Amino acid sequence: MSISPGQSGSPWWHLALKAGAVCGFTGVYIVGVGVFSAFGARSVLAHAVSLGQLLLLAVAFTGGWYAVSNRQLKPFERWLASAGTGLLAGLSYAAVLLVARGANVQGLFVAFNQPTLSAALLGQSGAGAIAALAGLASVTALAGAAIRQCPSAVRRTILAAAVAVLFGALLRDLWVSLFSTLLRGRWWVSTIYVSSGGLTWVGAGIAVLAGVAWQIAHYLIGQRRTPMIDVVILMVAALLVPLLTNAFVAQVMLLVGLYALMGMGLNIELGLAGLLDLGFVAFFAIGAYATALLTSDSPLALAHLSFWEALPVAILCAAAGGFIFGLPVLRVRGDYLALATLGLGEIVRIIVVSDMAAPAIGGAQGIVGIPRPKLIDHPMVSQLSLYYLTFALACLVAFAAWRLQHSPVGRAWTAARDDEDVAATLGLDLVRSKLRAYVLGAAFAGVAGALFATTLGSVFPQSLRLDVSINVLALLVIGGLGSLPGVFVGSFILIGLPEFLREFGEYRYLFYGFVLILVMRVRPQGLWPAPLSARHG
């Protein structure tokens, strides 16, 4: 059912009917698949609003926002459409849940149990539930419409405050750990958070002020801010946050750094040279297995080198893999190249798990006993030390990638990416240029693979799935294709944030999907786009 706002000639109630039905059944779906109960355990505002309730309110809010955006309607009709959307969403939602509670359909839908349905109906029953939910949804939809109609500066400030409250509640453990160190005590924790989780009213007020202050600062210095200042702020935060928090945060940031390393490799291939590589995990695997074979104390070990001795060998092996794989596939372009690289990635994965290769690389059992790297004869055993090792290597790789991007080689990649035919007419050797990008991207992935092996102490083929390549591709798109800072931002958003939300289990990937959709809808050039993309965006 299409509900495009561009439809002309439709009365306001037509839009309200369709949008309200979509919103209402979206709310039912959220309850029916268990998202509401899973998110209901986390309070956003203590004893007032849970994350599950906020999710349902967001559906009505979005419906009102959408309805008032219809430029085909007269101004007062837009408001009627928004109110009608909320009203019908609340009515349809309440009606379906009341029927489910009366029919006792828990046998068909496990999440439709009595406690969940009672919470989803605000503890009301019958006409009381219908009236309460219809009224609440209408008010929420009108709030969405009102914010949509505000001037841009006001709207952005309100949304910044809302995001600050949400982040304050969701990342409670991170903030408590960080500010406990900075403020030398936890006396303030009970003022901002309740012990069971969720912000107090004072905490919510502080979060709102923080969001408003952020937006004001953005307006005041936004025009004078340079990309270099942003990069320095990013690096300082990456250096200090793991140091001032705890081992879990350092572990999450270590994972972010590993994906950022891979992202910088794929950024050369895709962001600069325009090579869509869906088998990128193959080079990560080569780097990891090369390190394992050269450093482990396993019977499969080929040598007993240190990490520092094995690292350049792993990089060369991954680069050699890129050269060997790249020669046959880089003569094709576009979707055909993506499928060819996907096939190469699967070939590597199948070889790794095969019985044929098991005597050499362990097969499904993998390789264990990989030692941690040493720095001046001291093993780096803590997550913090391994994170700083990853951070240092990521900075070196970022510097190399930046130099390449602004060299004649980088400009040749960009020319081939923008128009291969024109680049070939100007004398550019396309295969050689693409192969160079492919080999360098593979080498960067080899660095990440070597770090991954030594950090985990083992390598298993189960860690080298296709979704690693997909995640690296997604973080590039979210951060901004061709943008080095965007690689780090995308890695933190798509890899780091789901780790902080582990209490939601698999449902945390709803945030992942939501961020992907939201960024593609409102900022398709990425959160930190390359300068040229930003100007065109």
Side-chain angles (χ1 to χ4, degrees):
M1 179 167 51
S2 171
I3 54 174
S4 169
Q7 53 197 324
S8 60
S10 300
W12 66 266
W13 56 265
H14 193 191
L15 173 62
L17 188 63
K18 290 197 291 185
V22 170
C23 292
F25 285 101
T26 300
V28 173
Y29 179 80
I30 289 171
V31 177
V33 299
V35 176
F36 175 78
S37 57
F39 286 15
R42 170 63 78 92
S43 293
V44 175
L45 192 56
H47 312 304
V49 181
S50 71
L51 187 59
Q53 292 168 333
L54 188 65
L55 187 60
L56 292 176
L57 291 173
V59 174
F61 182 92
T62 306
W65 180 294
Y66 172 83
V68 84
S69 303
N70 192 325
R71 300 298 177 189
Q72 302 297 325
L73 299 176
K74 296 176 181 176
F76 77 95
E77 290 179 330
R78 295 180 206 162
W79 288 96
L80 287 175
S82 297
T85 297
L87 180 66
L88 291 170
L91 288 175
S92 57
Y93 169 84
V96 173
L97 292 194
L98 284 172
V99 170
R101 185 161 71 176
N104 194 15
V105 295
Q106 186 178 351
L108 295 175
F109 302 97
V110 176
F112 277 157
N113 55 64
Q114 292 302 321
T116 299
L117 287 173
S118 178
L121 290 167
L122 303 178
Q124 304 291 320
S125 60
I130 293 175
L133 289 166
L136 182 60
S138 299
V139 171
T140 307
L142 285 172
I147 293 175
R148 177 65 182 88
Q149 296 295 83
C150 286
S152 174
V154 177
R155 184 170 66 242
R156 289 174 182 272
T157 303
I158 293 172
L159 293 179
V163 170
V165 171
L166 186 61
F167 271 55
L170 289 181
L171 303 180
R172 175 184 185 276
D173 294 340
L174 174 64
W175 302 126
V176 168
S177 178
L178 178 62
F179 290 109
S180 291
T181 303
L182 291 176
L183 299 178
R184 299 283 182 185
R186 298 172 61 89
W187 55 268
W188 56 274
V189 173
S190 60
T191 304
I192 297 178
Y193 293 103
V194 298
S195 57
S196 58
L199 292 162
T200 63
W201 287 100
V202 174
I206 293 174
V208 168
L209 290 176
V212 172
W214 171 274
Q215 197 61 26
I216 292 174
H218 176 76
Y219 281 120
L220 291 179
I221 65 175
Q223 299 299 324
R224 289 173 290 174
R225 196 176 62 192
T226 65
M228 185 55 67
I229 293 176
D230 292 338
V231 170
V232 170
I233 293 173
L234 181 69
M235 291 185 67
V236 170
L239 273 173
L240 294 183
V241 169
L243 181 66
L244 298 175
T245 50
N246 52 45
F248 173 70
V249 175
Q251 184 178 356
V252 172
M253 294 301 290
L254 170 59
L255 190 61
V256 170
L258 287 176
Y259 270 89
L261 277 168
M262 284 192 286
M264 285 187 280
L266 189 60
N267 190 50
I268 285 183
E269 293 185 16
L270 178 61
L272 299 184
L275 306 173
L276 180 53
D277 184 357
L278 295 180
F280 195 67
V281 69
F283 310 123
F284 176 77
I286 291 173
Y289 271 94
T291 304
L293 291 170
L294 293 173
T295 63
S296 74
D297 55 9
S298 146
L300 300 174
L302 300 176
H304 297 287
L305 304 178
S306 70
F307 170 76
W308 301 108
E309 293 167 332
L311 179 61
V313 180
I315 296 172
L316 287 175
C317 288
F323 182 79
I324 294 170
F325 292 159
L327 276 178
V329 302
L330 292 181
R331 293 185 184 278
V332 297
R333 63 173 74 175
D335 300 340
Y336 303 104
L337 176 62
L339 291 177
T341 54
L342 176 63
L344 286 173
E346 284 301 290
I347 288 172
V348 170
R349 187 185 65 80
I350 292 171
I351 289 176
V352 168
V353 300
S354 68
D355 293 337
M356 178 189 69
I361 55 177
Q365 303 303 317
I367 301 176
V368 298
I370 304 170
R372 294 287 175 85
K374 291 183 179 179
L375 188 63
I376 318 177
D377 292 333
H378 292 287
M380 305 174 76
V381 294
S382 70
Q383 294 296 325
L384 188 62
S385 61
L386 290 170
Y387 166 70
Y388 282 124
L389 171 62
T390 306
F391 179 80
L393 290 176
C395 288
L396 288 175
V397 169
F399 179 72
W402 180 77
R403 293 287 296 170
L404 283 168
Q405 185 173 351
H406 294 86
S407 70
V409 173
R411 287 190 282 275
W413 288 335
T414 306
R417 178 198 63 190
D418 292 341
D419 195 320
E420 289 191 4
D421 296 330
V422 172
T425 304
L426 294 174
L428 182 64
D429 186 338
L430 291 177
V431 173
R432 186 175 180 180
S433 179
K434 289 180 182 179
L435 189 59
R436 188 179 285 140
Y438 206 65
V439 169
L440 287 170
F444 289 177
V447 179
L451 273 172
F452 174 79
T454 193
T455 300
L456 208 63
S458 57
V459 177
F460 297 102
Q462 294 81 2
S463 305
L464 311 170
R465 302 185 305 268
L466 172 64
D467 59 0
V468 175
S469 297
I470 302 298
N471 279 332
V472 178
L473 174 62
L475 73 88
L476 271 189
V477 175
I478 292 296
L481 282 173
S483 166
L484 281 173
V487 171
F488 291 88
V489 172
S491 182
F492 179 77
I493 297 291
L494 290 189
I495 306 301
L497 283 185
E499 294 299 317
F500 287 116
L501 303 175
R502 276 192 169 275
E503 66 181 276
F504 300 119
E506 293 300 314
Y507 289 123
R508 71 184 188 276
Y509 289 107
L510 285 174
F511 292 100
Y512 184 101
F514 177 73
V515 169
L516 283 177
I517 295 171
L518 185 66
V519 172
M520 290 303 95
R521 181 67 182 85
V522 302
R523 199 172 171 83
Q525 71 272 31
L527 295 174
W528 193 322
L532 187 60
S533 300
R535 285 196 291 271
H536 291 167

